Amino acid sequence: MQIKTILVLLPIKEEQKHLLEQEALAAHYVYTGVDALDVETLQTADIIIGNPPPEMLRDVPKLKWIQLNSAGSDAYMKNGVLKDDVLLTNATGAYGLAISEHMVGMLLQLLKKLHIYRKNQKHHLWQDEGEVKSIYHSKVLIIGLGNIGGEFAKRLKAFGAYTIGVKRTLTAKPDFIDELYVQDKIDELLPLADIVAITIPSTKETYKMFSLERLNRMKKGAVLLNVGRGNVVDTEALCDAVESGHLSGAGLDVTDPEPLPANHRLWDIENIILTPHISGGYHIPETLEAIIDISAGNLKRFMAGEKLVNLVNFK
């Protein structure tokens, strides 16, 4: 296939450029940041590697394929953003290490009351805050068992947890999962879990999946973690569930709305740990390396006319 211009929007190093350029030697590569991207540059692109602003894609005549640097792709799946013949692939598989470690960090902070001790430290207060909880022998329900959910399950299994996974379709059970189910079992499983971790994307089916009713089904004193998308959880219902004591806490790297307004009550609930959608990104170098590997592999497949990995299903 004849490809003239490949636009790369990643913060790529010189030695990493070679990994991409060797897969399409005749192409012209343009390297720029998203903030510096202009319409004229975008118009020349046959292939884009990275996440261009979706609103700039409505009239890019030559575009054949976008390799996203994110696992989430919902912004690019809206009607009118991409032409029907444009392929879209995401970076699923690149974020499991960074995000699963972030989830463990939030969970330990909540279970061991480290956020409370940090507040006490700030006020020079030497005070025992009482009983804490352990991951050991806890039941962990992981909603979404892709790369991120799987990596989190491995880490919790190493702590001695009993792991229960939920997927859209049933597959062979991996060794790090004790029980595996499909999504229609969620309501039966929620009352059993001490920890519920959500790693699923935003779709019509997952919108406010964790409603007031679902949150009330959770075990009293359980912890909720959400690193998928904020709108999978009813924010106001979650606030009520934690403030009432039904849930002992929540760790959120994603919120609804997002960015979270400065006057939202989520900020001030003591047992809700918030981070501003930063558990992924390029905060560890291994993530960018994995994205480049995925991109280079897909570029090789594209040039050979082979099926791409991480192809987004618009349905």
Side-chain angles (χ1 to χ4, degrees):
M1 183 177 293
Q2 187 178 12
I3 296 296
K4 292 184 177 180
T5 302
I6 298 174
L7 175 60
V8 182
L9 303 176
L10 307 179
I12 194 167
K13 298 176 182 177
E14 285 300 320
E15 61 268 25
Q16 294 170 328
K17 291 179 181 180
H18 175 70
L19 292 174
L20 294 176
E21 292 174 0
Q22 68 180 352
E23 304 301 350
L25 294 172
H28 171 59
Y29 287 77
V30 177
Y31 296 94
T32 187
V34 174
D35 293 341
L37 183 61
D38 56 59
V39 174
E40 291 74 19
T41 301
L42 203 56
Q43 294 287 313
T44 67
D46 296 283
I47 294 171
I48 300 173
I49 298 175
N51 286 31
E55 65 274 10
M56 294 178 70
L57 293 171
R58 296 183 185 275
D59 185 25
V60 182
K62 299 171 57 185
L63 187 62
K64 298 175 179 64
W65 164 45
I66 299 179
Q67 169 64 60
L68 298 176
N69 59 257
S70 62
S73 55
D74 39 299
Y76 298 88
M77 297 170 69
K78 296 176 182 177
N79 288 336
V81 174
L82 296 177
K83 295 184 296 182
D84 292 341
D85 59 348
V86 176
L87 298 174
L88 182 67
T89 54
N90 62 28
T92 294
Y95 292 95
L97 172 62
I99 297 180
S100 64
E101 288 186 350
H102 189 93
M103 294 168 74
V104 172
M106 289 195 297
L107 179 60
L108 286 171
Q109 190 173 353
L110 288 164
L111 295 183
K112 304 304 180 186
K113 299 182 179 178
L114 299 182
H115 58 303
I116 296 173
Y117 285 109
R118 178 63 177 171
K119 181 187 69 175
N120 290 353
Q121 179 181 341
K122 189 175 181 180
H123 292 95
H124 302 185
L125 183 62
W126 188 274
Q127 178 173 298
D128 189 330
E129 294 295 342
E131 186 176 282
V132 296
K133 296 180 180 180
S134 177
I135 296 174
Y136 182 69
H137 277 181
S138 63
K139 285 190 175 179
V140 183
L141 177 60
I142 301 161
I143 313 292
L145 207 62
N147 174 245
I148 295 167
E151 290 298 316
F152 179 66
K154 291 176 188 176
R155 283 154 179 76
L156 270 282
K157 191 68 179 169
F159 275 94
Y162 186 86
T163 55
I164 306 170
V166 170
K167 299 183 72 174
R168 283 177 298 190
T169 56
L170 203 58
T171 57
K173 183 180 73 64
D175 293 341
F176 51 83
I177 291 293
D178 292 298
E179 298 179 32
L180 183 62
Y181 300 94
V182 291
Q183 288 188 357
D184 62 2
K185 296 291 185 182
I186 289 176
D187 287 339
E188 296 175 33
L189 296 168
L190 284 174
L192 308 176
D194 303 291
I195 300 157
V196 176
I198 302 170
T199 70
I200 53 179
S202 174
T203 67
K204 291 179 182 178
E205 290 73 28
T206 64
Y207 180 75
K208 293 194 177 179
M209 174 187 280
F210 275 76
S211 59
L212 176 62
E213 180 183 3
R214 276 252 166 85
L215 292 169
N216 285 339
R217 284 182 179 273
M218 289 177 63
K219 184 177 182 178
K220 182 172 174 58
V223 169
L224 180 75
L225 303 176
N226 186 15
V227 295
R229 282 293 182 268
N231 63 16
V232 175
V233 177
D234 184 320
T235 302
E236 296 306 319
L238 176 62
C239 290
D240 292 341
V242 176
E243 286 186 320
S244 70
H246 175 64
L247 299 184
S248 67
L252 309 175
D253 186 49
V254 289
T255 61
D256 183 28
E258 193 174 299
L260 190 67
N263 62 350
H264 200 286
R265 63 172 171 150
L266 262 179
W267 291 108
D268 298 312
I269 300 175
E270 184 170 60
N271 286 349
I272 292 182
I273 307 299
L274 290 175
T275 52
H277 205 149
I278 49 76
S279 63
Y282 304 130
H283 291 86
I284 61 172
E286 290 86 352
T287 300
L288 180 57
E289 290 167 7
I291 291 168
I292 292 169
D293 286 343
I294 291 168
S295 301
N298 260 347
L299 182 55
K300 183 176 183 178
R301 294 180 189 93
F302 185 90
M303 298 306 295
E306 298 172 357
K307 185 178 180 180
L308 305 180
V309 300
N310 292 352
L311 194 63
V312 174
N313 183 348
F314 279 71
K315 294 180 181 179

